[in-house]
Amino acid sequence: MQDNQKDSIFANPLDKVATFSFDDQVVQVFPDMIKRSVPGYSNMIGMTGVIARRYWQPGTRVYDLGCSLGASTLSVCHQIDDPNLEIIALDNSEAMIERCERVFAQEALNSDGSARNIQLECADICEYPIENASVVVLNFTFQFLPLESRLPLLEKIVAGLAPGGVLVLSEKVRFEQADKQDTLFDLQLDFKRANGYSDLEISQKRAALENFLQAESFETHQQRFDQAGFAHNCVWFQYLNFASMLAIKAR
Ligand code: GEK
């Protein structure tokens, strides 16, 4: 299997567009797909490591929830050059985990060439325990969870975070004001066109994600952060209809 191919999954007309799934076909094109579809992806990934460096507390863990091919974990490793740093990276797609294992074997290394302390697990983030964490990363994963699982997951994260710990949550967002929603949504389509996706690819991908990716507004996220028990939260990045937020547990 060849990795890191150009994404052309939706390039040809399909009789029936199936619901999107993180399978082998997606894994092969994933880095190209996410960079060409998500405005600001590289900025949010790069800054995830910088945020982790500020909030990580020695003796605690970093969790990367929905790690895909490990981009956020690698960003954290790049910024925190400490062999004692323990990262737990989870994804429930076996295809992602299999490929991610190979990425970490090549790229997640200490300066002496030994493997970084990363536990990679094929697991559902809603089921997996979160304990002794100071940094929890949810980069573009929360949006795929059923709505009713979202508050319980945040409550579990708050309970598993040390005082002063942080959640980084990056997502597609929607806007409550219709004109803002339309403007930024249309511009994201232009972003995808500018990155070489055809209108057919865009519309078939959209059909595949219908009801699978459920974006929410800043207001909904903020209310849920409060309800889950975070002390405060902020939006630290927005590029069109994608954004990244921080939610911080009280000291
Ligand atoms: C990155 N963070 O490169 N449990 C575990 N994993 C899940 C679940 C779940 N319940 N639901 C979805 N996933 C990465 C990108 S991709 C974003 C994250 C995207 C996993 C799913 O298998 C996929 O690998 C990942 O979440 C979402 O920054 O494709 O837009």
Side-chain angles (χ1 to χ4, degrees), residues 18-248:
T19 300
F20 194 82
S21 129
F22 292 99
D23 56 13
D24 273 327
Q25 193 190 19
V26 168
V27 168
Q28 285 174 51
V29 301
F30 186 75
D32 178 69
M33 171 187 274
I34 198 153
K35 280 188 207 119
R36 287 165 66 211
S37 310
V38 174
Y41 174 75
S42 303
N43 302 73
M44 289 184 263
I45 293 297
M47 195 63 194
T48 295
V50 175
I51 294 165
R53 183 174 177 158
R54 167 162 292 272
Y55 286 92
W56 176 63
Q57 302 169 24
T60 67
R61 298 174 178 142
V62 173
Y63 283 78
D64 181 3
L65 305 181
C67 61
S68 295
L69 302 185
S72 300
T73 289
L74 290 175
S75 173
V76 172
C77 288
H78 185 67
Q79 290 295 332
I80 307 177
D81 186 15
D82 185 332
N84 295 315
L85 168 68
E86 185 185 352
I87 304 182
I88 301 197
L90 307 176
D91 203 288
N92 65 354
S93 153
E94 277 180 25
M96 284 288 184
I97 290 289
E98 212 174 277
R99 168 83 181 106
C100 187
E101 220 162 14
R102 288 193 280 140
V103 171
F104 287 165
Q106 284 169 6
E107 298 181 38
L109 305 174
N110 291 305
S111 43
D112 64 359
S114 60
R116 297 291 299 245
N117 185 2
I118 302 170
Q119 192 179 327
L120 182 61
E121 301 267 3
C122 189
D124 185 335
I125 59 176
C126 297
E127 308 291 327
Y128 199 88
I130 295 186
E131 286 157 359
N132 189 29
S134 52
V135 179
V136 176
V137 178
L138 268 168
N139 276 344
F140 318 104
T141 306
F142 201 59
Q143 59 196 6
F144 296 113
L145 299 181
L147 293 177
E148 66 277 10
S149 308
R150 297 184 185 190
L151 178 61
L153 175 60
L154 291 197
E155 288 171 337
K156 179 171 72 174
I157 291 171
V158 173
L161 275 172
V166 72
L167 166 67
V168 183
L169 175 60
S170 310
E171 290 275 83
K172 185 174 196 173
V173 287
R174 63 168 196 83
F175 300 91
E176 292 182 357
Q177 308 88 323
D179 54 347
K180 194 168 181 182
Q181 169 64 20
D182 293 347
T183 304
L184 296 177
F185 180 83
D186 287 347
L187 280 169
Q188 192 221 344
L189 297 188
D190 291 341
F191 173 92
K192 292 177 85 165
R193 287 185 190 105
N195 284 332
Y197 283 117
S198 67
D199 286 348
L200 176 69
E201 285 176 289
I202 291 171
S203 72
Q204 293 193 130
K205 172 99 180 269
R206 192 176 165 191
L209 288 174
E210 183 94 39
N211 301 325
F212 182 56
L213 188 167
Q214 295 191 74
E216 297 177 294
S217 65
F218 284 129
E219 292 82 353
T220 300
H221 282 294
Q222 284 158 354
Q223 278 168 16
R224 193 188 289 115
F225 288 141
D226 290 343
Q227 211 181 336
F230 285 99
H232 53 271
N233 67 78
C234 63
V235 177
W236 68 267
F237 184 86
Q238 184 189 340
Y239 186 164
L240 303 177
N241 54 348
F242 279 79
S244 188
M245 293 157 265
L246 296 182
I248 296 163

